[in-house]
Amino acid sequence: MGYLNALIRGICLAVGLVSGPAAAQELYDSGSSGRDGALDVVASTELRLPPDGVLHYTTIHVASGATLRLLPNADNTPAYLLASGDVVIEGVIDAAPSRHAIQLGDGSVTRDLLVVGNVGGPGGHAGGSVGHFDGGLERRSSAGLGPAGGLGATPGVQDALGGGSAVRGATAVDGCRAPAPAPARADAYLLTGGSGGGGDPVVGNLNGAGGAGGGALTIATSGTLTITGLVTVGSNRSDANTYVATGGGGSLRLVGERLVGPPGSIIAGVVPTFGTACGLGGRGFIRLEAFSFAGGLDAAADATSLPGPALPFDEADRPILHIVSVDARPATPTPTGEHPHLYPGATLAPETPVIVELEARNVPVGSVATVVVNMIGAAPAQFQSTPLQGDLSRSTARATIQVPRGVRLGDIQAYIAEMPVARLR
């Protein structure tokens, strides 16, 4: 009998809801408490986000030539940089994914070859993996992770792989098609990162890992935000490979009394560099909110409005969805910032019904979750849960899943319909 080596992960919903335009006023309050002091980045720095993804500064300054790279937290929530004073970005703030392709094994009968996908930016989702196994038998690559991950390619069909979408509920881009447009909902924008792109079918190709989805980033200031450098939540693809799918673009929201900068200083999607649209992920989304703009920055926006609240909810009200157990075994979380395919979990018997137990907080009772099993060797399989029962403080549901034979390295994900997911861990 074949078995599925499935990674079981806890799940976290992180929703970024932007309210409608604020009433006209002379002053704007970002909500920063200033507890983290002044942030002055003069040399390239990596910053791991706190559990809620929110940092409270007095002022923010990134010097020319320096990069502030934001790293995901354990729940991979969107990132929020709040400042009570001005924000000046002369260098780079980077919430894009990392290139994280890792080769495991040597492709022999006893050591399967696997090239693991790229890891998403904060709030974004990982790319698909590629490899061969089962005594050297080549299999279909895995799809990208996330609600709209691109499909992995079938061996020998390089143009069939899919790029990830930038938005929840959108269809991923499959094959050699134009990238999906940015979402049109500017009045109640849902802030999420992009989904991952599918893996390449070329066995052993270190460049074959699927591109990851861009991050989700809000920068809010009570004063002026000036960009002469770059802010990016763009997605990526592996280096120098025309046939590797790109992740979906990320989401960028800039809020302040005044926003200043040229249009090219903000990036939310992928920048094509290979002269082809094969597997090109969906474009990201940029929302700007201010009383005034200068330098043409607003020309790069998908939506503009007066400034609204920087944070969508208090931490105590954050919607959470967890996978509690699979086949009566507790979920095993993926280490922070790592690709889940590196960490095998439980072994599940193929073609056998398995119960997945879910638990939620601050999610409407009666909501139905979609449980997705992401696999190398087959397309993802989706299963619907029972309606959540309980109350807003705690509700539960279950789903019955089943996995086919001849696949491995599954990744179990869960989503609530019409509630955007920042990422699953």
Side-chain angles (χ1 to χ4, degrees):
M1 293 181 65
Y3 288 89
L4 169 70
N5 220 358
L7 176 72
I8 307 169
R9 297 188 296 162
I11 305 300
C12 168
L13 271 168
V15 181
L17 298 177
V18 178
S19 67
Q25 57 187 18
E26 294 183 359
L27 300 176
Y28 170 69
D29 183 1
S30 68
S32 174
S33 67
R35 69 190 181 202
D36 297 310
L39 177 64
D40 189 12
V41 180
V42 296
S44 294
T45 302
E46 292 187 339
L47 179 61
R48 181 76 63 185
L49 295 176
D52 61 358
V54 184
L55 290 160
H56 293 256
Y57 295 111
T58 52
T59 58
I60 297 174
H61 173 234
V62 181
S64 176
T67 296
L68 173 63
R69 179 163 180 78
L70 302 176
L71 303 179
N73 56 22
D75 285 342
N76 203 23
T77 67
Y80 297 89
L81 302 183
L82 311 183
S84 55
D86 290 342
V87 175
V88 178
I89 304 168
E90 300 167 321
V92 177
I93 292 184
D94 184 359
S98 63
R99 285 190 169 90
H100 193 71
I102 295 176
Q103 178 175 320
L104 304 177
D106 59 10
S108 67
V109 173
T110 56
R111 295 187 65 199
D112 298 337
L113 182 66
L114 173 70
V115 179
V116 179
N118 293 291
V119 176
H125 304 268
S129 301
V130 59
H132 74 268
F133 40 87
D134 293 347
L137 180 62
E138 186 175 353
R139 298 290 188 180
R140 179 176 186 153
S141 302
S142 81
L145 276 64
L151 294 179
T154 302
V157 189
Q158 290 182 312
D159 63 353
L161 78 173
S165 173
V167 289
R168 172 72 175 96
T171 302
V173 182
D174 296 327
C176 293
R177 303 178 188 175
R185 292 192 60 189
D187 56 336
Y189 176 56
L190 306 178
L191 185 65
T192 70
S195 294
D200 189 328
V202 180
V203 169
N205 184 0
L206 273 176
N207 292 324
L217 171 63
T218 293
I219 303 176
T221 170
S222 300
T224 297
L225 189 158
T226 302
I227 308 173
T228 57
L230 178 69
V231 178
T232 176
V233 293
S235 56
N236 75 0
R237 66 195 300 169
S238 292
D239 294 331
N241 192 343
T242 300
Y243 293 104
V244 174
T246 306
S251 302
L252 178 62
R253 180 176 174 235
L254 304 180
V255 191
E257 293 183 357
R258 180 175 171 83
L259 302 183
V260 181
S265 64
I266 48 180
I267 297 176
V270 67
V271 178
T273 57
F274 299 94
T276 177
C278 288
L280 188 60
R283 188 163 65 86
F285 191 93
I286 297 173
R287 181 182 177 93
L288 305 182
E289 301 175 31
F291 298 121
S292 65
F293 301 92
L297 189 68
D298 50 325
D302 295 287
T304 60
S305 74
L306 297 178
L311 296 178
F313 45 76
D314 293 331
E315 173 60 17
D317 299 324
R318 179 160 63 103
I320 300 289
L321 174 66
H322 286 293
I323 291 180
V324 177
S325 66
V326 176
D327 199 24
R329 285 169 284 185
T332 303
T334 301
T336 302
E338 296 288 348
H339 197 296
H341 289 176
L342 289 173
Y343 299 90
T347 298
L348 303 181
E351 300 177 351
T352 302
V354 172
I355 300 298
V356 177
E357 299 284 355
L358 306 172
E359 182 177 277
R361 187 185 77 199
N362 297 322
V363 177
V365 173
S367 298
V368 175
T370 299
V371 176
V372 181
V373 180
N374 180 293
M375 297 167 280
I376 295 179
Q382 296 189 4
F383 306 87
Q384 300 301 303
S385 76
T386 58
L388 286 170
Q389 295 184 335
D391 54 38
L392 283 178
S393 65
R394 182 180 180 274
S395 57
T396 59
R398 61 169 47 187
T400 302
I401 68 172
Q402 193 164 306
V403 298
R405 296 179 183 275
V407 298
R408 76 162 208 183
L409 271 166
D411 179 77
I412 301 177
Q413 310 165 51
Y415 309 94
I416 295 290
E418 299 185 4
M419 296 193 71
V421 179
R423 181 180 121 130
L424 316 167
R425 66 175 172 85

